[in-house]
Amino acid sequence: MRRKLVAANWKMNGSKAEISALANAFVQGIEVASVDVAVFPPALYVEQLAGILAGTGIEFGVQNVSAAEKGAFTGEISMSMVKEFGCHYVLVGHSERRELFGETDAQVAEKVAATLEADLVPVLCVGETLAQREAGVTEQVVAEQVVAVLERVGIESFTRVVVAYEPVWAIGTGKTASPEQAQEVHAYIRSLLAQRDANVAQQCRLLYGGSVKASSAAELFAQEDIDGGLVGGASLIADEFTAICQAAKGA
Ligand code: PGA
């Protein structure tokens, strides 16, 4: 049985006061006995968050990392820095990174490799745009994104890599993919992995992301190949995110 994982992607939101309030509400409201929970704050707030989450079982990570070890990379954050602050997860290849900052499949693959080498857990984001869905190339797009990483790190690594399927047209739009639409792509991703190793495919956790809310979470998480969620907007509302974690427990 794959243990469910629910992750909060706070993106570029928050202040010291807001992060303190939200994180403390998560600690109060979320039971981690039967679900894994991860929080991705803006990197500057990782240390503050680490203090609040210490000993609670709620893990945290960064939204992006450099694949380079150190040096002249203005504005970047290295893996050793991420490790030193106690991060457990790294979000890699979010569609906003791909679209707004031009991250390529090759760069995403390097970041996943660097994360694995550091013994942290990469959450690899993949997903098609609306134009790609309408053109009928969803599977092709997702396959290219997954295979670029598979070829770099090998199928065995996918017992640790978490894949988040996030259709770009569903992110921040309030338009969630239907449970059937999401399940279809999740099953496809698992079949892609199974072509290389059926056992690994069964172990790999596949999250759904894109306008997940408390009201839609249970039905999504009940799908056979959906092992949790990557939550943006709704993770900034304590009651919503707490309820989404609760839905994962019951699924
Ligand atoms: P959303 O964001 O839940 O606000 O759609 C999800 C994400 O971008 O990870």
Side-chain angles (χ1 to χ4, degrees), residues 135-153:
V137 294
T138 296
E139 291 190 352
Q140 191 182 321
V141 168
V142 169
E144 274 168 22
Q145 292 171 334
V146 172
V147 169
V149 176
L150 264 174
E151 283 180 354
R152 175 64 180 81
V153 302

Side-chain angles (χ1 to χ4, degrees), residues 1-4 202-203 205 227 248-249 251:
M1 239 314 246
R2 296 178 295 269
R3 194 175 152 94
K4 293 267 194 293
Q202 276 313 312
Q203 288 175 60
R205 290 195 285 190
D227 306 312
K249 263 178 65 185

Side-chain angles (χ1 to χ4, degrees), residues 9 11 94 96 166 170-172 210-212 230-233:
N9 176 10
K11 308 192 180 185
H94 189 280
E96 286 150 19
E166 298 203 306
I171 295 177
S211 299
V212 176
L230 178 56
V231 187

Side-chain angles (χ1 to χ4, degrees), residues 23-86:
N24 278 299
F26 284 7
V27 170
Q28 291 297 314
I30 298 171
E31 275 179 57
V32 292
S34 56
V35 61
D36 289 342
V37 178
V39 183
F40 295 96
L44 271 179
Y45 297 104
V46 159
E47 191 173 20
Q48 183 195 352
L49 184 71
I52 298 169
L53 299 182
T56 66
I58 301 177
E59 299 284 358
F60 55 90
V62 285
Q63 299 168 11
N64 180 37
V65 74
S66 170
E69 267 173 46
K70 62 175 181 174
F73 299 98
T74 300
E76 294 289 274
I77 293 170
S78 78
M79 198 63 71
S80 65
M81 296 168 189
V82 168
K83 260 195 106 142
E84 190 170 18
F85 285 89

Side-chain angles (χ1 to χ4, degrees), residues 4 183 217-226 247 251:
K4 293 267 194 293
Q183 165 59 26
E219 220 188 328
L220 285 162
F221 297 165
Q223 302 299 310
E224 189 179 340
D225 292 296
I226 301 185

Side-chain angles (χ1 to χ4, degrees), residues 125-182:
C125 303
V126 300
E128 83 287 1
T129 62
L130 184 59
Q132 289 166 334
R133 174 161 284 262
E134 284 173 352
V137 294
T138 296
E139 291 190 352
Q140 191 182 321
V141 168
V142 169
E144 274 168 22
Q145 292 171 334
V146 172
V147 169
V149 176
L150 264 174
E151 283 180 354
R152 175 64 180 81
V153 302
I155 182 69
E156 314 73 39
S157 300
F158 277 70
T159 53
R160 303 238 335 274
V161 174
V162 175
V163 180
Y165 168 60
E166 298 203 306
V168 177
W169 48 271
I171 295 177
T173 57
K175 238 193 196 181
T176 322
S178 70
E180 296 72 27
Q181 279 175 321

